[in-house]
Amino acid sequence: VLSEVSRPKKRFAKATIATMILIAVLFILANVAYLCAVPKELILGNDLDMANIFFENVFGNEIAPRVMSAIIAFSIFGNIVVMTFTASRVKQEIAKEGILPFSLFFARSTTTPYAWFKQRFWPSRSKILEQSPATALLLHWFFAVILVAATSSTSTSIAYLVLVLLYCYTLTVIVGFFVAAGVLYLRYTKRREWTDNLGFKPWGGPTAAIIYSCTCAFMIVGVFIAPGEESPFSYKATGVQHYIVPVVGLGMLLLGYAYYLVFAKLIPRWRKEVLVVEREPIIVRQGGRQDGEGVQILEVVEFWWAARQSGKEA
């Protein structure tokens, strides 16, 4: 994703810090506004969305909550667009490793309709048009349909709750734990010499990764503890057993790992061959200058099965 951003090394760091600060300030101000405008009785005894209650109390009519619901829906749509783009890129990178069926098909990129339209009517000198992982997006759509279909037999509120909790548990908690733990592993494994190629020193060293990995590890295990009957996450309140989401999330993780073991260990042993993957990134300098930052514009991927030699990979 960052390969499509101009000067990613500088802009990503600045944008991340500025965004985190802005979100933290807005989050605090929103909660202060809720406490000032909404009575405590409504906060504790109402299951409706707090933003809708806030708008209704401030503007005093029925239109305000509907406007707020439209704003929330628009915000959710933006998050879906971002996650869809990111998830399709992740699936494309997995396909580039050759471990998916029809990997070359899902690893390819196609010109976006916007880029084609722009080049058609307002041609530019650049021959490199914006690309999108359309085939990987198709794969993402397929699994999204499976998730929606799996929860279609329940009510809309329960289905939405299960999907949101499953998303938070798998992508935020489980993936977050492995990412943070992986950063610590790379940092403290001397033979990898990962810290020598960082190019910058993060604030606080590994403190953030340690805190985040410990927090995620606690939530991975803690979610199996049954909530109290009066809890908003109890079976009485949600209609969903507390262990369903973590079991499904961890089950899918173990299923993916089992698939990887079959492809990486059993199939090569059965074929007596190993999968050879060659990835050649095409990198250009920003602005065509020699001192410009390198940005990847495309990548050539090839893979094939090769015979083993003396018990080692060819």
Side-chain angles (χ1 to χ4, degrees):
V1 176
L2 286 178
S3 64
E4 301 177 2
V5 178
S6 177
R7 294 185 296 171
K9 190 174 181 179
K10 293 182 179 180
R11 292 191 174 183
F12 178 71
K14 293 179 180 179
T16 301
I17 296 173
T19 302
M20 292 299 296
I21 294 175
L22 177 61
I23 291 176
V25 172
L26 292 177
F27 188 83
I28 294 174
L29 292 178
N31 282 274
V32 171
Y34 292 157
L35 294 175
C36 293
V38 180
K40 182 177 69 173
E41 293 75 15
L42 290 179
I43 295 177
L44 297 178
N46 204 316
D47 296 331
L48 297 177
D49 185 82
M50 185 58 60
N52 287 331
I53 301 176
F54 171 78
F55 263 58
E56 184 177 1
N57 281 15
V58 171
F59 296 100
N61 55 61
E62 297 180 356
I63 300 178
R66 296 182 180 180
V67 173
M68 189 60 204
S69 297
I71 295 175
I72 295 174
F74 184 77
S75 177
I76 294 174
F77 174 75
N79 182 67
I80 292 175
V81 171
V82 171
M83 290 306 304
T84 300
F85 175 78
T86 305
S88 60
R89 285 295 185 189
V90 171
K91 290 176 175 61
Q92 185 184 46
E93 291 301 316
I94 295 175
K96 288 180 180 179
E97 294 297 325
I99 63 175
L100 294 180
F102 311 104
S103 289
L104 286 178
F105 175 76
F106 292 115
R108 62 187 297 187
S109 295
T110 56
T111 303
T112 62
Y114 172 76
W116 179 89
F117 183 84
K118 183 179 179 182
Q119 186 68 15
R120 178 70 174 80
F121 295 97
W122 296 280
S124 61
R125 295 181 180 180
S126 176
K127 296 182 179 180
I128 302 174
L129 302 181
E130 182 184 43
Q131 302 289 308
S132 67
T135 52
L137 182 60
L138 178 64
L139 182 63
H140 178 73
W141 171 83
F142 175 76
F143 283 101
V145 170
I146 291 178
L147 288 175
V148 173
T151 57
S152 61
S153 60
T154 62
S155 64
T156 305
S157 59
I158 294 178
Y160 179 79
L161 177 65
V162 170
L163 292 176
V164 170
L165 291 178
L166 186 61
Y167 161 79
C168 295
Y169 186 75
T170 54
L171 293 183
T172 304
V173 179
I174 296 179
V175 175
F177 168 76
F178 281 108
V179 169
V183 170
L184 294 175
Y185 173 75
L186 291 174
R187 179 180 179 86
Y188 292 108
T189 304
K190 297 181 179 180
R191 58 186 176 86
R192 292 185 176 271
E193 299 179 353
W194 182 68
T195 54
D196 297 337
N197 301 320
L198 283 178
F200 71 98
K201 293 183 178 180
W203 296 345
T207 305
I210 294 174
I211 295 175
Y212 195 77
S213 60
C214 292
T215 304
C216 290
F218 172 76
M219 288 190 288
I220 290 175
V221 179
V223 73
F224 283 96
I225 302 174
E229 294 184 358
E230 302 300 325
S231 171
F233 298 99
S234 64
Y235 177 77
K236 179 181 178 181
T238 63
V240 180
Q241 295 291 352
H242 67 281
Y243 54 81
I244 290 180
V245 170
V247 167
V248 173
L250 291 176
M252 294 302 297
L253 177 66
L254 294 176
L255 183 62
Y257 184 66
Y259 172 84
Y260 173 78
L261 290 180
V262 170
F263 191 90
K265 301 296 182 181
L266 296 182
I267 293 181
R269 183 173 297 180
W270 172 68
R271 294 177 57 122
K272 297 181 180 179
E273 294 176 323
V274 293
L275 182 66
V276 179
V277 180
E278 287 190 357
R279 301 176 60 171
E280 181 182 357
I282 308 301
I283 299 175
V284 299
R285 295 291 179 179
Q286 282 285 324
R289 300 177 302 178
Q290 293 295 330
D291 58 343
E293 291 187 8
V295 176
Q296 177 180 315
I297 58 173
L298 57 91
E299 186 177 22
V300 179
V301 180
E302 293 181 306
F303 43 80
W304 62 89
W305 290 95
R308 292 178 179 270
Q309 294 181 354
S310 302
K312 296 181 180 181
E313 294 184 358

